[in-house]
């Protein structure tokens, strides 16, 4: 356990090198802005499975009138079984709009689709693995597009150190691979990488990093959970436990024909728990594939609300809680120590005002573990009953909120 906590400690303190976000008021949590959409932005070019070159486009959503100089970016990739895709489909529009309303920059991308079924019937694993690789390379080019923009014209004012990879179904499969397929040796042996460009591919914007900071996995999977290792980035997963298209656990995936075994969100959850990666996981109990999609019918609107609320809460906890971030742009006046902590947490107010100061302790799932009204300038909180893990400490006054990320270890 101590080894796992050291990896978590590395990951958490690594976050403090990112931009310190001005999460004032309810930014990144509530709808605050109108949204401006720029459609069909060219971000790359590469060969289809037929050998014909094709341009790659994305739709970019920005909070209208936002004066922030750097905003977190979420890139979403749509569903389509790697046979078709539509960046303008309803789910992509909803996700991009909702998060842009909150102050994020969002993008829905096209990626290359299509499979040679003559070859697929001979070797389905190889042909569908190649389809995933094409989408994977395109997604990486989209990430590099934004980092290139940030380093040059800065048209979209994104923070190049806070890029989140997201997707739904096939798009989520792509996003998860972008996050965790990071070694050439991990590329399946059935794929001949000659001419493909290795890990980065040839879809465009070379010379810039394609790494991401978090993953939003909506009903996706990975070819092999062993690619997920300690020190890798956190992810949010949501999946129906009755999904027969992209398996909830580990099972053979089929697209017209049986292909290969993949590891769905429940298996990803087991692996990330084992190696000590933050991985909030929500199961759509009794639901099949993408219940938030209009094709699912029924209560899909309610399920989309669940997706938005669950994802925004967990992203907010991650991006708005680096040590010392103040939500109202006031200088921090609170000392919280030690970090890591064991059985006691010290809170010191650097003034004599204690009236109306409250302490809230949250776990990484957003559950309140402890609430206390401060009576003195110096307070010691007993956290004996809390298990090991990462906690968010919010110090609230009548005029400000200071949020800290703290680790409890042995």
């Amino acid at each position: 356990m101590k080894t796992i906590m050291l990896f978590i400690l590395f990951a958490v303190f690594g976050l403090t090198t990112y931009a310190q976000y001005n999460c004032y008021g309810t930014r990144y949590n509530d709808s605050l802005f109108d949204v401006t959409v720029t459609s069909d932005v060219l971000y790359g070019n590469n060969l289809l499975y037929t050998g014909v070159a094709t341009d790659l486009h994305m739709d970019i959503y920005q909070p209208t009138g936002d004066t922030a100089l750097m905003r977190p970016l979420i890139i979403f990739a749509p569903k389509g079984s790697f046979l078709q895709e539509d960046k303008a489909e309803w789910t992509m529009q909803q996700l991009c709009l909702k998060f842009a309303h909150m102050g994020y920059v969002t993008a829905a991308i096209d990626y290359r689709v299509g499979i040679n079924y003559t070859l697929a019937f001979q070797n389905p694993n190889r042909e569908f693995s190649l389809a995933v690789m094409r989408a994977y390379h395109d997604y990486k080019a989209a990430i590099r597009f934004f980092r290139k923009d940030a380093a040059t014209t800065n048209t979209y004012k994104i923070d190049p150190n806070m890029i989140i990879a997201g997707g739904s179904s096939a798009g989520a499969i792509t996003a998860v691979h972008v996050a965790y397929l990071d070694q050439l040796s991990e590329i399946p042996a059935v794929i001949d990488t000659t001419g493909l460009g290795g890990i980065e591919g040839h879809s465009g914007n070379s010379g810039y990093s394609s790494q991401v900071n978090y993953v939003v996995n909506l009903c996706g999977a990975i070819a092999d959970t062993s690619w997920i290792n300690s020190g890798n980035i956190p992810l949010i997963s949501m999946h129906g436990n009755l999904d027969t298209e992209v398996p909830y656990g580990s099972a053979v995936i089929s697209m017209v024909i049986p292909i290969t075994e993949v590891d769905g969100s429940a298996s990803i959850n087991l692996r990330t728990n084992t190696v000590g990666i933050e991985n909030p996981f929500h199961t759509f109990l009794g639901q099949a594939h993408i219940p938030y999609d209009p094709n699912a019918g029924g209560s899909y609107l309610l399920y989309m609300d669940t997706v938005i609320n669950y994802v925004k809460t967990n992203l907010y906890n991650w991006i708005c809680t680096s040590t010392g971030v103040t939500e109202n742009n006031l200088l921090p006046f609170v000392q919280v120590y030690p970090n890591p902590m064991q059985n006691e947490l010290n809170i010191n107010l650097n003034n004599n005002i204690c009236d109306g100061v409250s302490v809230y302790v949250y776990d990484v799932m957003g559950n309140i573990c402890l609430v206390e009204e401060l009576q003195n300038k110096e307070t010691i909180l007993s956290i004996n009953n809390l298990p090991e893990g990462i906690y968010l400490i919010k110090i609230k006054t009548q005029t400000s909120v200071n949020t800290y990320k703290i680790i409890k270890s042995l």
Side-chain angles (χ1 to χ4, degrees), residues 276-310:
I277 295 173
E278 289 185 74
N279 63 104
F281 177 38
H282 177 86
T283 297
F284 299 117
L285 289 173
Q287 295 301 309
H289 195 50
I290 50 178
Y292 48 81
D293 187 273
N295 290 336
S299 302
Y300 74 92
L301 290 172
L302 295 178
Y303 282 107
M304 176 53 77
D305 285 343
T306 299
V307 169
I308 298 299
N309 288 326
Y310 191 76

Side-chain angles (χ1 to χ4, degrees), residues 227-272:
W227 300 343
I228 304 173
N229 296 296
S230 297
N232 283 166
I233 63 174
L235 84 162
I236 301 163
S237 294
M238 305 182 78
H239 210 128
N241 65 324
L242 301 184
D243 196 335
T244 58
E245 295 187 38
V246 178
Y248 178 71
S250 297
V252 173
I253 193 169
S254 297
M255 298 178 189
V256 182
I257 54 177
I259 304 166
T260 188
E261 184 174 284
V262 299
D263 298 324
S265 300
S267 296
I268 291 172
N269 174 250
L270 289 174
R271 175 65 177 179
T272 47

